[in-house]
Amino acid sequence: GPARPRPVATRPAPQPRKPLVGALWGLRASSVLAAVGEGVVATALPLLTAALTRDPLSVAAVIAAAHLPWVVVTLLGGGLLPRLERRTVLGTAHTLRGGAVAVLAWAAAGNSETLGKLVTAAFVIGLGEALADHVEDGADDLPAPRPQPSGLARALRSGGMVGLAVVGLPVGGLLYEKLPPVPFVASVFVFCLAGLIALLPRAPLGSAPRERAMAPPPPLRLSPGTTRPTAVAAAQALGTSAVLGVLVLFALDDLGLGAPSFGVLLGALAAGATLGGLAAPEVGRVLGARRGTAAAALVAALAYAVAAAVSSPSFPLPSAVALVLGSAAGMATGVLARAELHARGGRRLGAGGLRAFHLVVWSAIPLGALVGGLVAEAFGVAVAVALAGGVPAVVAAALALSLDQRRSTSGPNTGKWLTAADKRGAVARDRARGGAR
């Protein structure tokens, strides 16, 4: 009979390679480790500055320099940074922080620190933090081996907040009490380890996120109707950062705290900010966006005034509690203002509108720190906490109440926009980090 054709061996079609679980695990571990290092430095750097000088403006300049890089990264975030490989940006961020902290450790060990060195180191450390946050905010674009119900970026922020507030900030004060160079030396090792873990895995972007990254950046401008919510958030950020700019002097001199207690206070402020962000949706649902934002801002102003009025080295607890309440109310004000921003911007609020909002708010933070230093230099640190922290909060409340009520969201709508804004990163970890520094 005729010869039968031999079956042709066929190879199975190549399947797309699934990213390893270790890639996302490594990103989480790197984020938590880096947050611990940030917390240690966030406590030790103001203490080192206060040991060098008691001039409020000089201390505030170091705090302002640590926040200024977020303005730079916001400007670059729409065009250059999305085109770079995530591992490269994250590795660069950890390397910058590790190098700057190593310089601080060397200077503290030799008693050779100067204001110029501290300002430069604070800027470089802040630049590393801003770059790392930029990568983590876009973590939801990374492929995951299994569904991420809450979003990877949100999980990174939550883990980072635990490392920052629970571990890094209190430990920074304890290590500084032992010897000033110790927290900086420890942070060098933490940042180096975080950088190694971040560089090991490789999780490429999907096709759609890659196309978005390579697309031309949208125009950087506020969307119609979002100017006043942006002004509310900026005013509150200015007041909060004015308090943070002189907080180390207020804690050491007016409250009589030592280095370990200062670290605990910073951790409590970060925890308070987190709780304020979590409580903001309920406040918005009960009071509505306008009244809820105004009420939160007024509570922040009152808390800062009380903290200054009852400050006493013999009994610092009431003032410390008022500061924590002010931190929580300030965060709630910012979250409610962002929800109002999303509600009023609607579909017109694209990436360009969000970047413009972030640019305005982040620009207000270093400016607020300098304002706090100037007021403290002229009238005293306690007066700066009450006035420089409280007056911008009152302005934020007035702006919130002046929003057009006909376009304002109702209570249920406010809750909806708060939920949507939170998924986009409304309660961002970098905001809470700002509340801790």
Side-chain angles (χ1 to χ4, degrees):
R4 295 180 180 179
R6 295 181 178 179
V8 179
T10 59
R11 295 181 178 179
Q15 298 294 325
R17 181 179 298 177
K18 294 182 179 180
L20 298 176
V21 177
L24 302 185
W25 176 89
L27 189 58
R28 291 190 183 99
S30 175
S31 175
V32 173
L33 280 173
V36 171
E38 291 167 15
V40 171
V41 175
T43 301
L45 182 56
L47 290 170
L48 185 64
T49 307
L52 176 66
T53 176
R54 280 299 204 265
D55 177 56
L57 186 57
S58 300
V59 174
V62 175
I63 305 301
H67 290 88
L68 187 59
W70 265 269
V71 179
V72 179
V73 171
T74 302
L75 290 172
L76 299 177
L80 176 62
L81 291 180
R83 301 170 185 265
L84 300 177
E85 187 183 16
R86 304 293 176 91
R87 291 194 311 163
T88 302
V89 177
L90 200 55
T92 302
H94 295 323
T95 302
L96 285 172
R97 287 187 283 188
V101 173
V103 172
L104 286 177
W106 179 268
N111 292 324
S112 60
E113 65 270 18
T114 63
L115 183 61
K117 290 181 182 179
L118 296 180
V119 169
T120 303
F123 180 85
V124 175
I125 293 169
L127 180 60
E129 292 179 15
L131 290 173
D133 280 354
H134 175 80
V135 173
E136 293 171 6
D137 286 343
D140 288 337
D141 290 336
L142 296 174
R146 55 180 179 269
Q148 300 285 337
S150 60
L152 180 58
R154 189 175 179 183
L156 291 176
R157 294 187 195 103
S158 300
M161 273 305 303
V162 172
L164 178 81
V166 177
V167 181
L169 293 170
V171 168
L174 290 171
L175 294 179
Y176 188 90
E177 183 75 5
K178 297 296 182 183
L179 201 64
V182 172
F184 302 106
V185 173
S187 298
V188 172
F189 289 101
V190 172
F191 286 133
C192 288
L193 183 58
L196 287 175
I197 295 176
L199 290 173
L200 287 176
R202 182 166 187 168
L205 287 176
S207 57
R210 185 173 296 278
E211 290 179 2
R212 290 197 300 267
M214 299 304 293
L220 186 64
R221 62 170 177 265
L222 293 174
S223 301
T226 63
T227 302
R228 287 191 179 181
T230 302
V232 171
Q236 183 60 59
L238 189 145
T240 301
S241 61
V243 175
L244 296 174
V246 296
L247 181 62
V248 64
L249 299 179
F250 184 72
L252 298 180
D253 298 337
D254 293 82
L255 301 185
L257 302 182
S261 300
F262 176 66
V264 173
L265 175 62
L266 290 181
L269 291 177
T274 302
L275 293 177
L278 295 175
E282 190 61 30
V283 174
R285 291 187 185 98
V286 174
L287 299 180
R290 295 168 59 252
R291 288 178 297 200
T293 305
L298 289 176
V299 168
L302 180 62
Y304 293 140
V306 170
V310 302
S311 60
S312 171
S314 59
F315 190 44
L317 184 59
S319 182
V321 171
L323 288 174
V324 174
L325 179 60
S327 177
M331 173 62 80
T333 304
V335 173
L336 287 165
R338 184 187 290 253
E340 188 72 6
L341 177 88
H342 283 279
R344 290 174 179 271
R347 295 182 178 179
R348 299 169 298 181
L349 185 63
L354 281 175
R355 285 180 55 229
F357 170 83
H358 292 150
L359 181 61
V360 174
V361 174
W362 280 117
S363 299
I365 293 177
L367 177 61
L370 294 176
V371 168
L374 287 171
V375 175
E377 198 170 55
F379 304 104
V381 175
V383 175
V385 171
L387 291 183
V391 171
V394 173
V395 172
L399 288 172
L401 291 175
S402 67
L403 289 169
D404 185 1
Q405 190 172 6
R406 291 174 299 178
R407 299 178 60 186
S408 179
T409 55
S410 63
N413 285 336
T414 300
K416 177 188 71 174
W417 284 110
L418 277 164
T419 303
D422 180 61
K423 290 179 180 178
R424 300 185 188 104
V427 190
R429 187 180 69 187
D430 51 17
R431 182 74 186 275
R433 282 173 178 165
R437 276 198 296 264

